[in-house]
Amino acid sequence: MDHICPICKTHNNQLAIDFAIEEFICSHCKSLIIVGKTTQRKVVNKPVENVVLEVGHKGILYGTEYWVMNIVIKKYGKKTFWREYSLKDRVGNNVYLSESDGHWVFLHQVNPNKLDFDIKDFQYYAEFGGKNYRWYETTPCTIHAATGFFEENLSFGLATYKEYVNGTEMISKEEYGKSVQFFRGNHISGNTIKKAFGISQMPYRIGTGIVQPFWINIKQSTNILAIAALLICILQLYVVISRSNQTVFEQSINFSDVNDKEMVSKSFTLSGGSAPLKVHAFSDVDNSWANIGLSLVNEKTNEVIYASKDIEKYSGFEGGESWSEGSQTEEFNLCGIPAGTYHFLISAEKEGGTKDPFKSGYRPGNADFSIIKNEVGSYFLKNDKDQTINSYGDKETLKNDIILRTGLQNDIKSEEKLDSMLINMPQEYGYSQGNYDKNPSVNIKATWLPVSFWNFGIVLACLLLFAGISYWMGRVFEVNKWNNSSNSPYSNY
């Protein structure tokens, strides 16, 4: 296509395709020329501001190659402008790109007289293709600037655009005098335009476009979340039916047995997927503390997971009121423990120490008990079998009890030796029957938790929270989209 401007003699041959035109605007002198005439119709402003395409520019949209035929800038009021680019493909079909504040719409002209394009235009909505399009705004406008090739004569008088919106689609009704044209449009992203035409810079995007989509499809997201929630419920039901929580270790540990050393527990096996190992610890602390240390050892890999927990409880009476803090029970989880064979290494201590004074006390031959004496002359006997402790205020009572327990009634020499031993045995200073046997142990129970409702509940709560936030953000987005409309459905929002 080659058209010579009769005013400045410039060749206007920017298009690689040929089609019949009525007018063109000279790219050099800006004269609007009617084809076949030797005079200008008028001088037209050249589109400059925020114009990112040029006449003759080629690009591929939705698999079709298009060329830019012309560029027209429309003006509403004194400060509102938008840009319209007319495109034509190689076989002569026309499409349009409209850009305002960085938001793009891809438009096709439709013929309302054809059965396939039956448009019913009402006062507040239009009906097309089985959908209702809500009236958005009616905008009177004029042509502010233009350039390129035109198949019809340009109309510089006042035209009116009436726009109807349904989500990311719109119907645009253009009226100029008795001429009425309909266009069907949908949102197209700026990145798509940029990639199609190889543009380096795009107009800065401001606000929310008239058919701009929300970042996510709320309806599809809700369906996906509902399906995900259903699958999670089915999975949780399967886990509940096929698996159960089980106690893998339970034992009362004497503080004296783990004094300055660790106790090795029996082995236990965990099967299935990774799950928490819940540890419950109890110690009869009272205005005191105890501590347990647990090392979970994987017998195959020798990997060790260590945990330490304090158990403390204090109470008192102050200012006429009683108070208490802490607890005799503590619980904690070893999380994400995989299947395998394990054992515990256990250490424990309590306030006041754990040394058993009876281990170094006097033990008669073949006896199953031990004896100690404190600094005030009281004697204490601890039975090895049931760990009971008997106290004696005088030596003779204890002596008679020992003779009965060991069968030394008729052995005078043994009695004399026993009598001497009780008199001369070392003293255990500060010992009383209550301060050692009080809180002698800590009870430890470990439960394997392959069935847990915590993760199940947390995931469902997160899904509901995401759905709620998405719905709220989508509504705010739509309110902003209709903010400039005279017929907003959110006028009372």
Side-chain angles (χ1 to χ4, degrees), residues 336-361:
I337 307 302
T341 301
Y342 296 86
H343 66 261
F344 282 123
L345 298 178
I346 305 171
S347 62
E349 60 178 335
K350 67 175 182 176
E351 185 175 9
T354 58
K355 183 179 178 182
D356 185 355
F358 289 94
K359 287 190 175 181
S360 57

Side-chain angles (χ1 to χ4, degrees), residues 153-353:
N153 293 333
L154 276 177
S155 301
F156 291 88
L158 187 67
T160 301
Y161 280 82
K162 192 172 184 180
E163 297 161 326
Y164 303 87
V165 173
N166 183 321
T168 60
E169 300 179 359
M170 66 178 294
I171 298 295
S172 179
K173 179 183 179 182
E174 181 180 345
E175 294 182 273
Y176 179 76
K178 295 182 179 180
S179 174
V180 178
Q181 292 180 314
F182 286 90
F183 298 86
R184 183 185 183 188
N186 58 273
H187 169 81
I188 184 170
S189 72
N191 286 333
T192 300
I193 305 295
K194 185 176 181 179
K195 183 178 179 181
F197 290 92
I199 305 169
S200 60
Q201 204 163 7
M202 298 292 286
Y204 184 72
R205 195 167 71 178
I206 301 173
T208 305
I210 187 173
V211 288
Q212 180 182 344
F214 187 49
W215 303 292
I216 60 173
N217 187 312
I218 295 179
K219 185 176 181 179
Q220 288 184 357
S221 298
T222 302
N223 292 337
I224 292 172
L225 292 177
I227 293 172
L230 178 61
L231 292 177
I232 292 171
C233 291
I234 293 174
L235 178 61
Q236 182 69 16
L237 179 62
Y238 168 75
V239 170
V240 170
I241 294 174
S242 62
R243 306 177 68 179
S244 61
N245 298 333
Q246 56 179 313
T247 299
V248 296
F249 174 83
E250 186 172 12
Q251 188 172 339
S252 179
I253 311 296
N254 292 321
F255 289 107
S256 59
D257 293 337
V258 289
N259 183 43
D260 298 327
K261 63 180 180 180
E262 290 183 319
M263 186 192 82
V264 181
S265 75
K266 294 181 179 180
S267 297
F268 52 88
T269 300
L270 307 179
S271 59
S274 297
L277 188 64
K278 181 179 180 180
V279 178
H280 175 97
F282 169 82
S283 185
D284 190 21
V285 291
D286 186 10
N287 282 320
S288 61
W289 58 265
N291 173 271
I292 61 168
L294 285 179
S295 296
L296 180 66
V297 182
N298 188 315
E299 296 184 354
K300 182 178 180 180
T301 64
N302 290 323
E303 183 179 355
V304 179
I305 299 175
Y306 177 76
S308 178
K309 195 69 175 179
D310 290 325
I311 307 171
E312 51 187 1
K313 182 179 180 181
Y314 296 92
S315 61
F317 195 82
E318 184 177 356
E321 295 183 357
S322 61
W323 61 271
S324 64
E325 60 182 13
S327 173
Q328 295 178 326
T329 300
E330 293 291 343
E331 290 184 346
F332 58 94
N333 286 344
L334 302 177
C335 298
I337 307 302
T341 301
Y342 296 86
H343 66 261
F344 282 123
L345 298 178
I346 305 171
S347 62
E349 60 178 335
K350 67 175 182 176
E351 185 175 9

Side-chain angles (χ1 to χ4, degrees), residues 58-90:
K58 182 180 71 174
I60 299 176
L61 291 173
Y62 306 117
T64 302
E65 194 172 46
Y66 293 101
W67 283 263
V68 179
M69 293 192 304
N70 60 66
I71 305 168
V72 178
I73 296 182
K74 301 290 181 68
K75 180 181 180 181
Y76 165 63
K78 294 183 178 180
K79 298 182 180 180
T80 303
F81 301 89
W82 69 92
R83 286 142 291 280
E84 294 182 354
Y85 301 88
S86 296
L87 312 179
K88 184 179 284 288
D89 64 16
R90 193 174 294 276

Side-chain angles (χ1 to χ4, degrees), residues 77-116:
K78 294 183 178 180
K79 298 182 180 180
T80 303
F81 301 89
W82 69 92
R83 286 142 291 280
E84 294 182 354
Y85 301 88
S86 296
L87 312 179
K88 184 179 284 288
D89 64 16
R90 193 174 294 276
V91 296
N93 297 315
N94 293 339
V95 295
Y96 306 88
L97 289 173
S98 176
E99 178 270 316
S100 175
D101 291 331
H103 302 280
W104 294 80
V105 181
F106 186 64
L107 298 126
H108 295 80
Q109 186 172 0
V110 295
N111 187 349
N113 297 320
K114 291 185 178 180
L115 183 61
D116 293 342

Side-chain angles (χ1 to χ4, degrees), residues 7 14-15 59 66 120 123 157 223 259 294 324 329 338 364 433 484:
I7 307 302
Q14 297 161 299
L15 288 180
Y66 293 101
K120 295 179 180 179
Q123 182 177 4
N223 292 337
N259 183 43
L294 285 179
S324 64
T329 300
Q433 187 172 353
N484 295 321

